[in-house]
Amino acid sequence: QQAGIAALGEQDYLEKSRAIIASERPRIQAVLTALGLRVIESKANYILFFSALPQLGEKLCQAGVLIRSCANFEGLDARWYRVAVRTPLENDQLLLAIKQVVEGIQ
């Protein structure tokens, strides 16, 4: 409870996080779309997308990058993935890995 109360007082952190998410989310969505992935518009701190390449998650894992498979989400299958909106550097690393896998498979 004390940690929760302390977190409520961190307005500066909250505002910085919101700003990063607001600027990074559309950038990530644009890159994923340009790579031929179907991106679901979002206002959240994560992005849901579809890949016709069912082995995308496995290939990324082999490259040391883990993304959330949505195979166990009701109504979705192993071709759906979810990624968090993180810092610009972390997002660059994720997008580069996805690009390398997608371009290597196609």
Side-chain angles (χ1 to χ4, degrees):
Q1 289 174 342
Q2 290 177 338
I5 291 169
L8 290 173
E10 293 294 328
Q11 287 299 324
D12 187 44
Y13 174 80
L14 180 61
E15 291 305 317
K16 286 179 183 177
S17 295
R18 285 183 178 156
I20 289 171
I21 292 166
S23 66
E24 288 294 299
R25 185 186 326 105
R27 183 175 78 89
I28 296 168
Q29 290 173 334
V31 173
L32 294 176
T33 299
L35 290 171
L37 305 172
R38 180 176 162 215
V39 177
I40 304 301
E41 289 292 322
S42 171
K43 299 286 184 194
N45 64 339
Y46 61 86
I47 298 168
L48 178 68
F49 67 94
F50 173 86
S51 171
L53 310 166
Q55 69 274 33
L56 177 65
E58 186 178 301
K59 296 281 186 183
L60 284 169
C61 184
Q62 291 170 1
V65 176
L66 296 176
I67 61 174
R68 174 68 162 99
S69 168
C70 296
N72 65 342
F73 287 33
E74 188 173 332
L76 302 180
D77 62 30
R79 298 172 297 169
W80 286 92
Y81 300 95
R82 189 175 82 179
V83 295
V85 178
R86 311 271 313 211
T87 66
L89 176 60
E90 291 169 310
N91 295 331
D92 287 344
Q93 293 169 337
L94 171 68
L95 293 171
L96 177 60
I98 292 174
K99 181 176 192 255
Q100 290 172 338
V101 169
V102 168
E103 291 178 349
I105 292 174
Q106 294 178 343

